[in-house]
Amino acid sequence: SSPESRGVGHVPGKSSETVKFWLENVRIATPTKTQPSGTGGGGGGSRSLRLYPREARELGVMYSAPLTCDFCIQFVKRDGYGNETPAGSTRRIERNFGNMP
């Protein structure tokens, strides 16, 4: 039997609601290392310094940086003839996708 008779997949002329998603503003940051700031006194925070490939080899750490982007989601209504209309606003969520070597 054909996919249309089983209700699986695209059926011409049949409307449906679907979800579209895509990535925007993809960014790869600069590799950094964390170093304690100052000694004694107040604070006790840390600061990030740029990490160079040679330093990474000497320290035995991976030379990588965070990969971040905006994950966009939108619900759409499709009429079955290739036309679609948004069924709401686009939602953008900033996400960290881990480190990029």
Side-chain angles (χ1 to χ4, degrees):
S1 68
S2 71
E4 289 131 5
S5 65
R6 290 182 284 146
V8 177
H10 173 72
V11 179
K14 183 178 179 186
S15 63
S16 63
E17 291 186 13
T18 59
V19 178
K20 287 174 57 174
F21 59 91
W22 65 95
L23 303 176
E24 289 183 351
N25 302 321
V26 179
R27 300 170 300 280
I28 300 175
T30 303
T32 58
K33 61 183 175 183
T34 305
Q35 179 177 345
S37 62
T39 56
S46 60
R47 55 185 202 163
S48 294
L49 300 172
R50 183 168 180 182
L51 177 67
Y52 293 94
R54 180 178 174 174
E55 289 176 305
R57 285 191 299 273
E58 291 172 354
L59 294 170
V61 297
M62 183 173 286
Y63 183 72
S64 61
L67 171 67
T68 58
C69 68
D70 294 336
F71 185 77
C72 303
I73 303 169
Q74 183 179 46
F75 291 94
V76 294
K77 291 183 181 181
R78 298 177 190 245
D79 67 1
Y81 296 104
N83 301 315
E84 62 182 44
T85 55
S89 62
T90 300
R91 184 171 179 199
R92 287 178 171 78
I93 305 164
E94 187 173 334
R95 290 282 182 218
N96 181 343
F97 283 88
N99 284 345
M100 177 82 169

